[in-house]
Structures are given as structure tokens and as C-alpha cells.
Amino acid sequence: MLTTREELDDRLPGAARAWLDEALAEAAHAADRPDTGTPDRPDTGNPHSGTSTGNPSWETRFASAGRHCGPEHADAVRALLLIEARPAAPDLARLYAQGTAAERRAVLLTLHRLDLGSAALPLVEDALRTNDTRLVAAAVGPYAAAHLDAHGWRHAILKCLFTEVPVEAVAALADRARGDAELARMLHDFAAERTAAGRPAPADLRTVLALTATPAAAPTEES
């Protein structure tokens, strides 16, 4: 769970609190001016080297959060900036594409707190294609639980098992795995492949498999 603003105020030194106040004000200003940072801005920087100088000032703050507030608070600070700025899906996708792994993780951790519908699913899907366990763990949070279809969600579970991301990171695991016969089949196949390769199946596989054996709740009849 991300640190709240109140908790940050208790933990950050004065200079960092002042920096955060300014950063959040800039993010709020950007939210009030939806034309700021639109995708048709000229590209003034390398898209793989961090936020370009032509982007809104709060995005520069987003990139430098760890330096000013400490790496242990960077996720929480970046989440607060995203919530305040309320970027549109294309702007969020650009921020994600330009970001470091730490910045991408913060975006993924905040998706469920942004009003984006399913528009940010490509970011989740991108993270699940990587073998970066920080991104995989962040990608299977509440947003994925709410928006990934059954096929995508099952493959997300297999990705966690393959990369050894603890399944406790998967939001709504018990609810979505319950009674899922197709997921159970995929898990058995995965275990068989590991055994054939002389490798043990991860312990979490048994945890998820047990959940699939739980019958799905029967629909209640309206009186």
C-alpha cells in the first residue's frame, strides 16, 4: 500500500515537504489546463532518456521524486502527482514509455486510482511482457484485476509463477481464480513442463491451484 500524504508529511524533512507542495501545485495546475502536455507537442528529447524538457513541469518533478524525497518515498510521491495531474491516457502512456523502471512501476501502482477505464491496459500488458519482477508485481494490482480479460489474467498468473513474483501481489486472486477450470489446466501444464525440464514447480502454483478447486459462488435468485 502506498504511503499517504499525511504519512509523507510526517516522514519527509522540511525541504522535501516544500518541494512536494510545489510539485503537487504544478500537477494541479496541469490538471486545470488539459491542453498542457498533449501528445502533439514537439519531441525535444530522447524518448528513452527520461522526461523531455518540452513536457509539463510536474512531469519533471515526477522523474526527480526519488532525488528530492528519497527513493523509499518515490512511489508514493509519484502516485500523488499522477492523482493530482489526472493525465489523459495518451499522456500517461507517453510518461510510462519515457520513464525509467522505477517511474513505470509508479504508474502501474497508481492506475486503479485514475479514472481511465480500460484505456491503460496496454501499459499493464507491456509490463507483463517484461521479466522485470518489479514491473510484473506492480502490473497485477487492482487495475489488472478489474480490467484484464480472463485470457490475459490467466497469463498474468503464469507470468508471476515463471518470474517467481509472489502471488500475494495479485489483486483479487481468490475471487478470480475460484472455479477457473481453464486456469487449473494451464497450471497443470506448466507444472508438467517444469517437471519434464527437471525443475521444481513453484510453491505458489499449489496455492493458486487450490483456489481454482474452490467452486464458484452460485448466483443468488432474486426474490
mmCIF file of all heavy atoms in Angstrom, residues 148-156 176 186:
data_model
loop_
_atom_site.group_PDB
_atom_site.id
_atom_site.type_symbol
_atom_site.label_atom_id
_atom_site.label_comp_id
_atom_site.label_asym_id
_atom_site.label_seq_id
_atom_site.Cartn_x
_atom_site.Cartn_y
_atom_site.Cartn_z
ATOM 1 N N LEU A 148 -8.319 -6.699 -16.845
ATOM 2 C CA LEU A 148 -7.796 -7.756 -17.705
ATOM 3 C C LEU A 148 -8.886 -8.788 -17.979
ATOM 4 O O LEU A 148 -9.596 -9.203 -17.061
ATOM 5 C CB LEU A 148 -6.607 -8.451 -17.040
ATOM 6 C CG LEU A 148 -5.211 -7.871 -17.270
ATOM 7 C CD1 LEU A 148 -4.182 -8.713 -16.507
ATOM 8 C CD2 LEU A 148 -4.848 -7.816 -18.750
ATOM 9 N N ASP A 149 -9.006 -9.207 -19.228
ATOM 10 C CA ASP A 149 -9.963 -10.268 -19.518
ATOM 11 C C ASP A 149 -9.424 -11.600 -19.000
ATOM 12 O O ASP A 149 -8.278 -11.686 -18.516
ATOM 13 C CB ASP A 149 -10.282 -10.333 -21.013
ATOM 14 C CG ASP A 149 -9.073 -10.676 -21.884
ATOM 15 O OD1 ASP A 149 -8.067 -11.195 -21.360
ATOM 16 O OD2 ASP A 149 -9.146 -10.432 -23.099
ATOM 17 N N ALA A 150 -10.247 -12.631 -19.071
ATOM 18 C CA ALA A 150 -9.879 -13.919 -18.470
ATOM 19 C C ALA A 150 -8.583 -14.463 -19.064
ATOM 20 O O ALA A 150 -7.706 -14.958 -18.335
ATOM 21 C CB ALA A 150 -11.018 -14.925 -18.648
ATOM 22 N N HIS A 151 -8.442 -14.364 -20.374
ATOM 23 C CA HIS A 151 -7.242 -14.883 -21.029
ATOM 24 C C HIS A 151 -5.996 -14.134 -20.551
ATOM 25 O O HIS A 151 -4.992 -14.753 -20.168
ATOM 26 C CB HIS A 151 -7.392 -14.746 -22.547
ATOM 27 C CG HIS A 151 -6.173 -15.159 -23.313
ATOM 28 N ND1 HIS A 151 -5.867 -16.475 -23.560
ATOM 29 C CD2 HIS A 151 -5.170 -14.412 -23.884
ATOM 30 C CE1 HIS A 151 -4.733 -16.540 -24.244
ATOM 31 N NE2 HIS A 151 -4.304 -15.306 -24.451
ATOM 32 N N GLY A 152 -6.067 -12.820 -20.555
ATOM 33 C CA GLY A 152 -4.932 -12.021 -20.134
ATOM 34 C C GLY A 152 -4.595 -12.227 -18.674
ATOM 35 O O GLY A 152 -3.418 -12.268 -18.290
ATOM 36 N N TRP A 153 -5.633 -12.364 -17.841
ATOM 37 C CA TRP A 153 -5.392 -12.537 -16.410
ATOM 38 C C TRP A 153 -4.737 -13.885 -16.118
ATOM 39 O O TRP A 153 -3.816 -13.968 -15.303
ATOM 40 C CB TRP A 153 -6.709 -12.399 -15.646
ATOM 41 C CG TRP A 153 -6.519 -12.375 -14.170
ATOM 42 C CD1 TRP A 153 -6.161 -11.306 -13.389
ATOM 43 C CD2 TRP A 153 -6.650 -13.487 -13.273
ATOM 44 N NE1 TRP A 153 -6.075 -11.682 -12.077
ATOM 45 C CE2 TRP A 153 -6.373 -13.008 -11.972
ATOM 46 C CE3 TRP A 153 -6.994 -14.828 -13.449
ATOM 47 C CZ2 TRP A 153 -6.419 -13.834 -10.864
ATOM 48 C CZ3 TRP A 153 -7.035 -15.641 -12.337
ATOM 49 C CH2 TRP A 153 -6.754 -15.156 -11.054
ATOM 50 N N ARG A 154 -5.195 -14.918 -16.792
ATOM 51 C CA ARG A 154 -4.566 -16.240 -16.582
ATOM 52 C C ARG A 154 -3.092 -16.212 -16.960
ATOM 53 O O ARG A 154 -2.247 -16.779 -16.252
ATOM 54 C CB ARG A 154 -5.301 -17.293 -17.404
ATOM 55 C CG ARG A 154 -6.706 -17.608 -16.904
ATOM 56 C CD ARG A 154 -7.445 -18.468 -17.891
ATOM 57 N NE ARG A 154 -8.832 -18.684 -17.486
ATOM 58 C CZ ARG A 154 -9.860 -18.670 -18.329
ATOM 59 N NH1 ARG A 154 -9.659 -18.463 -19.633
ATOM 60 N NH2 ARG A 154 -11.083 -18.857 -17.886
ATOM 61 N N HIS A 155 -2.778 -15.556 -18.056
ATOM 62 C CA HIS A 155 -1.376 -15.479 -18.462
ATOM 63 C C HIS A 155 -0.571 -14.602 -17.504
ATOM 64 O O HIS A 155 0.640 -14.820 -17.324
ATOM 65 C CB HIS A 155 -1.264 -14.992 -19.900
ATOM 66 C CG HIS A 155 -1.532 -16.075 -20.896
ATOM 67 N ND1 HIS A 155 -0.567 -16.968 -21.302
ATOM 68 C CD2 HIS A 155 -2.674 -16.444 -21.540
ATOM 69 C CE1 HIS A 155 -1.081 -17.829 -22.160
ATOM 70 N NE2 HIS A 155 -2.364 -17.538 -22.327
ATOM 71 N N ALA A 156 -1.224 -13.632 -16.880
ATOM 72 C CA ALA A 156 -0.542 -12.838 -15.854
ATOM 73 C C ALA A 156 -0.163 -13.709 -14.654
ATOM 74 O O ALA A 156 0.925 -13.556 -14.080
ATOM 75 C CB ALA A 156 -1.429 -11.679 -15.410
ATOM 76 N N ARG A 176 -10.911 -14.245 -8.565
ATOM 77 C CA ARG A 176 -10.836 -14.529 -9.995
ATOM 78 C C ARG A 176 -10.421 -15.969 -10.280
ATOM 79 O O ARG A 176 -10.770 -16.520 -11.322
ATOM 80 C CB ARG A 176 -9.885 -13.553 -10.683
ATOM 81 C CG ARG A 176 -10.439 -12.119 -10.716
ATOM 82 C CD ARG A 176 -9.885 -11.314 -11.865
ATOM 83 N NE ARG A 176 -10.193 -11.858 -13.170
ATOM 84 C CZ ARG A 176 -9.992 -11.210 -14.311
ATOM 85 N NH1 ARG A 176 -9.505 -9.975 -14.302
ATOM 86 N NH2 ARG A 176 -10.277 -11.772 -15.474
ATOM 87 N N MET A 186 -4.069 -24.893 -17.259
ATOM 88 C CA MET A 186 -2.819 -24.216 -17.596
ATOM 89 C C MET A 186 -1.769 -24.426 -16.517
ATOM 90 O O MET A 186 -0.580 -24.604 -16.811
ATOM 91 C CB MET A 186 -3.083 -22.725 -17.820
ATOM 92 C CG MET A 186 -3.960 -22.427 -19.031
ATOM 93 S SD MET A 186 -4.525 -20.707 -19.129
ATOM 94 C CE MET A 186 -2.983 -19.857 -19.463
#
